[in-house]
Amino acid sequence: MADLPSHARVVIIGGGAVGVSALYHLAKAGWTDCVLLEKNELTSGSTWHAAGNVPTFSSSWSLMNMQRYSATLYRGLADEVGYPMNYHVTGSLRLAHGKERMREFQRAKGMGRYQGMAIDVVGPDEIKARYPFIETHDLAGALYDPNDGDIDPAQLTQALAKGARDMGQKIVRFCPVTGVKRDKDEWVISTAQGDIRSEYVVNAAGYRAQEVGKLFGRDVPMMVMSHQYILFEEIPELAAWTKEQGKKLPLLRDVDTSYYLRQEKTGMNLGPYERNCRAHWVGHNDPMPDDFSFQLFPDDLDRLEHYLNDAIARVPILGTAGLSKVINGPIPYAPDGNPLIGPMPGVPNAFEACVFTFGIAQAGGAGKVLAEWVTQGQTEWDMWSCDPRRFTAFASDKDYCVAKGLEIYGNEYAISFPRHAWPAGRNQKLSPIHDRMTALGAQFNAYNGWERATWYAIPGDDTSEESTQTFDRAGPWEPRIREECLAVRDATGILDLPGFSRFRLQGSGARDWLSSLITGIVPKPGRIGLGYFADEQGRIVTEMSIMALDEDFFFLITAAVAQSHDFEWLAKNFPQDHEMTLMDVTEKFSCQILSGPKSREILAEVTDADLTKPWLTHQSCQIAGRWLQLVRVSFAGELGWELHTKVEDTPAIFDAVWAAGQKHGLKPFGMFALDSLRIEKGYRAWKGDLSTDYSILQGGLERFVKWDKPAFAGHAALLNEKQQGVAKQFVTLTLDDPGPCDAPTMSTLWHDGKIVGETTSGGWGYRVDKSIALGMLRADLTVPGTKVEVEIFGDRFVATVQPDKPLWDPENLRLRA
């Protein structure tokens, strides 16, 4: 057992597959003076009882990247570090029972092809050819992944550990962490073996991550599920087939029923994700033990009976096998099922690499991503799907985490439909006029916990959850979205938009400091403008609206989901010696968007504000005797204003505007309509069109770059890119003859049989009556009129590159009216 050093550059807390992978990848990055601390023995948490499946499939671009990297790493790891491993690359069949699942598989196939993987979609005959023991009579097809398989989790962890040690890293086992503190810009980590100081620290404590997080004053949003899988004894027919073929069966997943079935030597391993699942360690009567190393929960086979019967019907030879062993162990879940990888919110020089539901499949990629975060302050791929800052304080509530964890586990293989909203853990944060929106027929979804109307139903509309489980454009919402968009075009619409993230910046030097962070100019007092923040590589970090109240007094407004991310970006770059204050005032304000050609007439009836002030101005005024900030902007692309109000004044102001608007045709509209309206204008959405996967110039944002101002973050990289020429660039495409679905994010773009780009947004534009895709296209093909193809669920549709102007109101005449 290694002695505890007095100092390390990085200390990692937790010795499962993910923590050891982080140690290994830090060494690969050249940081070889790091230490990993493990409470017990390596793998003693969830790693030791993990099934060890290594899929590359995901409906998330970033998770697919991470899992693809893991699979590639594992194939060569044994030879690289000199540690033999049992890694079986068997391929897998992911079964589809119907049309929507086949569409999901076609999308995954397109994404996988773009990433260089040979994922394919096959029919029932090929399923049977690859898996002779299966019943296929009720199947539509399957996704075949030749790189899927399984690995021994303990051997994987030990191989990574050996590789890390060989490069100089230290691993100290049986060394629980008992406390942490900051001292002179370093962490002092107290353990059972003494103290160790470090520059950086990583919480990789798996299902104990919340316990470790509390040492840092951090409430990690997570809970712990009980996951069971069953091992079966030898099946003679399977043993004979394996001997004859010299290989194992592909790993089988019946995702519509919700289980995997894997060959284990000459027997089988059945792992269901059951709807009637169970959480552990959630209350005073069921506390987490001080030590649960290498332990399991009692068997609970009654929960699995339905899945066992279904698996036997699907693969009848399973019914001839005796049960050998049941594994029932803890696995952690975040509220959305994705891991936490990245900066620990609110804590300097601290990171998280924890709460992995599929830790073995993701460990390799997670180590790579974590090492990039620590050593470079940024990652190669945009990893917002796993960034701990995607959650804010409400998500750490225990009841919320348990409700979402149970929901995610019971729907582990569920399809992510564009109009579907999961029902558990809702109504965390409500608009001050939520009751009014509900009365008008609002259907809601949560945005950083805030309930926002997505569309407005009328009596007789199907508002069931089942109705939303489709990729089709058409649905009960479709005629209502059209009506909402046309009301904004022809009269006026109002959208309740609670939860805008809002930061108050004030003090001497605030303007100059902001200018050093954004690529463009800081607006003058009384004006509002967009500010784009780049990293040192010139990539898009975020977009904020900058409202200048005075020379050195600003409100910075950004997306609801960006609250923690954007505030931390500002705080990280905040100068030490300054006279400025920066405050998060999100909870104090609300907002409505009033947009459409009648909006000026409506406002004229309720306020004496100067409604002739031009676009991109703002003013303080009153409605119904209450103060508000009236801002002349419109994300909907029509004449309009944003009404920024104090939370307590919002109902009175809304009621006055709503009453005045009735004779002018005022209608409520929701987030689905807003998405359609903004796509017609080519307005970018955060973490879709705007992400660190793209540079400011690739994003078509050069008009927001002020080249001749003093240096700003990313200036040198962007100037070099401008001189060299961008490789791909943002475009608007219209589909010439669209099918029943609009293009999802990361749909592949083709030209002359070659992949030439990807979509970043897609939807129907109801003012132009076309299917639209925003995306990134190879630069030489961005000439207006060029024909390309958009791959949507396996089919290719001809699309035309549009001029670099909005499709709707290209000269912004309506917006400026």
Side-chain angles (χ1 to χ4, degrees):
M1 187 166 59
D3 293 332
L4 183 71
S6 62
H7 191 276
R9 198 169 189 183
V10 183
V11 166
I12 298 169
I13 303 170
V18 172
V20 177
S21 177
L23 187 72
Y24 172 82
H25 282 88
L26 283 167
K28 296 282 282 186
W31 287 33
T32 56
D33 50 352
C34 306
V35 171
L36 183 145
L37 306 177
E38 165 53 41
K39 178 184 179 76
N40 192 276
E41 178 60 271
L42 295 184
T43 78
S44 63
S46 292
T47 297
W48 83 271
H49 62 75
N53 299 331
V54 187
T56 59
F57 171 89
S58 178
S59 58
S60 161
W61 181 258
S62 51
L63 289 178
M64 182 179 276
N65 257 323
M66 196 163 67
Q67 291 172 188
R68 171 184 53 79
Y69 175 89
S70 291
T72 302
L73 172 71
Y74 300 166
R75 283 197 293 274
L77 186 62
D79 290 338
E80 181 178 335
V81 303
Y83 191 97
M85 291 189 299
N86 290 320
Y87 181 29
H88 309 108
V89 181
T90 61
S92 70
L93 289 162
R94 195 173 288 254
L95 306 180
H97 290 246
K99 177 182 72 173
E100 299 296 357
R101 186 65 76 174
M102 288 294 281
R103 283 174 167 175
E104 179 194 46
F105 288 172
Q106 289 289 358
R107 179 167 183 252
K109 173 183 174 180
M111 290 167 57
R113 186 194 296 111
Y114 201 154
Q115 293 192 16
M117 296 187 291
I119 294 174
D120 201 6
V121 176
V122 300
D125 289 345
E126 191 165 348
I127 296 173
K128 189 77 172 178
R130 294 183 181 278
Y131 203 111
F133 305 109
I134 193 171
E135 295 293 324
T136 62
H137 60 278
D138 58 343
L139 297 179
L143 183 82
Y144 177 66
D145 178 358
N147 293 317
D148 206 336
D150 62 272
I151 197 167
D152 184 303
Q155 291 177 346
L156 168 65
T157 306
Q158 295 296 345
L160 291 166
K162 182 179 185 300
R165 287 187 179 110
D166 288 348
M167 288 183 279
Q169 309 285 56
K170 290 188 181 299
I171 295 175
V172 185
R173 298 168 296 138
F174 303 100
C175 187
V177 172
T178 57
V180 299
K181 66 179 180 180
R182 288 290 280 172
D183 181 49
K184 298 178 181 177
D185 294 328
E186 282 190 322
W187 288 106
V188 180
I189 300 159
S190 299
T191 79
Q193 297 185 29
D195 290 351
I196 178 172
R197 301 178 75 95
S198 69
E199 298 174 50
Y200 302 92
V201 66
V202 178
N203 179 358
Y207 62 71
R208 306 199 82 100
Q210 197 167 64
E211 177 185 333
V212 171
K214 288 185 183 302
L215 300 177
F216 296 87
R218 154 80 164 149
D219 284 328
V220 177
M222 63 169 289
M223 53 82 72
V224 177
M225 290 297 301
S226 151
H227 177 59
Q228 297 183 95
Y229 60 88
I230 307 172
L231 298 175
F232 292 86
E233 295 173 350
E234 178 173 302
I235 303 172
E237 289 176 83
L238 179 58
W241 182 89
T242 300
K243 184 177 181 180
E244 178 186 337
Q245 298 293 322
K247 62 181 181 180
K248 292 171 66 176
L249 286 170
L251 198 158
L252 195 71
R253 292 183 182 86
D254 194 328
V255 288
D256 291 317
T257 304
S258 192
Y259 62 82
Y260 65 81
L261 183 64
R262 190 183 86 200
Q263 181 175 344
E264 190 77 22
K265 296 182 180 177
T266 54
M268 290 218 174
N269 172 348
L270 174 67
Y273 289 90
E274 68 276 14
R275 305 288 193 273
N276 55 328
C277 49
R278 182 178 175 186
H280 271 279
W281 304 331
V282 295
H284 296 298
N285 297 327
D286 184 26
M288 180 182 286
D290 289 338
D291 189 2
F292 200 70
S293 301
F294 298 111
Q295 296 182 53
L296 296 171
F297 301 128
D299 301 350
D300 193 3
L301 286 175
D302 289 347
R303 289 175 11 212
L304 307 187
E305 182 178 359
H306 164 75
Y307 303 91
L308 175 58
N309 291 337
D310 190 278
I312 290 172
R314 180 67 57 201
V315 183
I317 61 170
L318 182 64
T320 68
L323 189 154
S324 170
K325 190 175 184 181
V326 178
I327 305 294
N328 185 8
I331 52 172
Y333 270 74
D336 61 1
N338 288 352
L340 304 176
I341 316 173
M344 187 183 295
V347 183
N349 286 4
F351 296 84
E352 292 176 341
C354 52
V355 197
F356 282 79
T357 299
F358 297 101
I360 304 306
Q362 296 170 353
K368 170 191 186 306
V369 169
L370 190 280
E372 290 169 348
W373 267 125
V374 174
T375 62
Q376 302 173 35
Q378 56 198 18
T379 55
E380 177 185 357
W381 314 309
D382 190 290
M383 292 302 300
W384 179 243
S385 64
C386 300
D387 195 312
R389 296 167 296 182
R390 69 189 187 275
F391 298 116
T392 51
F394 83 93
S396 297
D397 175 78
K398 180 180 70 176
D399 291 342
Y400 174 79
C401 288
V402 170
K404 296 304 292 183
L406 288 166
E407 181 179 64
I408 293 292
Y409 182 96
N411 296 278
E412 188 62 68
Y413 293 128
I415 302 170
S416 296
F417 292 111
R419 304 295 191 201
H420 178 251
W422 290 106
R426 298 295 294 277
N427 295 328
Q428 296 295 311
K429 295 189 277 189
L430 301 181
S431 159
I433 54 174
H434 182 81
D435 58 338
R436 290 150 172 87
M437 302 301 103
T438 302
L440 291 169
Q443 307 302 302
F444 294 97
N445 203 347
Y447 297 76
N448 188 26
W450 290 98
E451 294 290 330
R452 290 178 176 175
T454 52
W455 65 286
Y456 286 83
I458 65 173
D461 285 344
D462 183 357
T463 59
S464 67
E465 185 179 356
E466 289 75 21
S467 72
T468 67
Q469 294 175 341
T470 179
F471 289 109
D472 282 348
R473 181 186 313 112
W477 54 81
E478 201 271 344
R480 305 296 162 249
I481 298 172
R482 179 182 294 275
E483 291 166 4
E484 293 169 24
C485 290
L486 298 188
V488 172
R489 182 193 71 182
D490 299 333
T492 295
I494 190 165
L495 170 68
D496 184 35
L497 202 63
F500 256 150
S501 302
R502 189 184 308 260
F503 315 130
R504 186 179 188 269
L505 174 68
Q506 188 174 14
S508 177
R511 175 173 294 274
D512 290 341
W513 177 66
L514 261 185
S515 182
S516 72
L517 291 182
I518 67 170
T519 61
I521 59 173
V522 179
K524 296 177 180 179
R527 305 284 297 184
I528 186 170
L530 288 175
Y532 286 93
F533 296 73
D535 63 18
E536 291 303 326
Q537 295 181 38
R539 303 183 304 174
I540 304 167
V541 172
T542 195
E543 167 199 83
M544 299 187 206
S545 293
I546 301 174
M547 185 192 302
L549 280 76
D550 207 338
E551 187 64 24
D552 279 317
F553 183 12
F554 304 93
F555 277 104
L556 309 177
I557 303 169
T558 184
V561 294
Q563 183 178 358
S564 288
H565 176 280
D566 284 7
F567 190 79
E568 287 217 349
W569 183 263
L570 296 169
K572 181 181 73 172
N573 290 285
F574 213 51
Q576 291 187 346
D577 299 321
H578 59 83
E579 300 177 20
M580 299 181 291
T581 58
L582 176 66
M583 297 175 59
D584 185 338
V585 294
T586 298
E587 303 287 339
K588 296 182 178 180
F589 295 90
S590 195
C591 178
Q592 286 81 49
I593 291 177
L594 185 73
S595 194
K598 301 292 183 66
S599 56
R600 182 178 279 121
E601 296 171 50
I602 295 170
L603 287 174
E605 296 189 19
V606 294
T607 182
D608 59 0
D610 181 358
L611 301 178
T612 65
K613 280 182 172 288
W615 186 43
L616 301 180
T617 62
H618 59 89
Q619 60 186 305
S620 294
C621 64
Q622 288 198 343
I623 293 177
R626 269 77 165 187
W627 169 90
L628 73 152
Q629 198 74 9
L630 195 61
V631 185
R632 179 75 193 279
V633 293
S634 174
F635 200 52
E638 299 283 352
L639 171 68
W641 284 262
E642 290 178 358
L643 285 61
H644 294 258
T645 57
K646 293 179 181 177
V647 166
E648 62 271 22
D649 294 334
T650 302
I653 291 172
F654 173 81
D655 289 345
V657 172
W658 181 255
Q662 293 313 292
K663 64 175 176 289
H664 297 289
L666 180 63
K667 282 179 64 73
F669 69 105
M671 298 298 289
F672 291 164
L674 182 64
D675 195 52
S676 168
L677 296 165
R678 68 97 188 166
I679 285 176
E680 290 177 308
K681 294 294 292 182
Y683 294 159
R684 281 66 155 172
W686 194 67
K687 290 307 178 188
D689 315 293
L690 303 171
S691 80
T692 54
D693 283 332
Y694 308 114
S695 74
I696 294 286
L697 298 186
Q698 288 175 337
L701 301 171
E702 187 174 359
R703 65 186 181 280
F704 294 99
V705 178
K706 182 72 171 171
W707 294 107
D708 58 352
K709 75 171 191 173
F712 53 86
H715 181 275
L718 289 170
L719 188 60
N720 180 65
E721 185 181 19
K722 182 176 173 63
Q723 293 167 348
Q724 298 296 322
V726 295
K728 58 183 177 180
Q729 199 156 12
F730 181 87
V731 291
T732 298
L733 304 167
T734 57
L735 278 68
D736 294 4
D737 185 17
C741 307
D742 298 310
T745 300
M746 302 311 293
S747 298
T748 307
L749 301 179
W750 293 82
H751 184 263
D752 285 345
K754 296 180 180 178
I755 295 173
V756 292
E758 69 276 358
T759 64
T760 53
S761 292
W764 191 270
Y766 291 96
R767 290 176 297 193
V768 301
D769 217 28
K770 292 180 181 294
S771 184
I772 306 166
L774 309 181
M776 295 291 174
L777 183 63
R778 202 176 71 197
D780 62 301
L781 298 173
T782 59
V783 178
T786 301
K787 298 289 185 179
V788 297
E789 292 176 302
V790 183
E791 182 178 336
I792 303 176
F793 303 122
D795 295 321
R796 298 187 197 176
F797 297 88
V798 176
T800 305
V801 176
Q802 299 299 309
D804 187 19
K805 290 182 178 181
L807 289 174
W808 176 252
D809 187 24
E811 304 303 327
N812 288 330
L813 299 179
R814 296 169 67 93
L815 195 64
R816 300 171 185 268

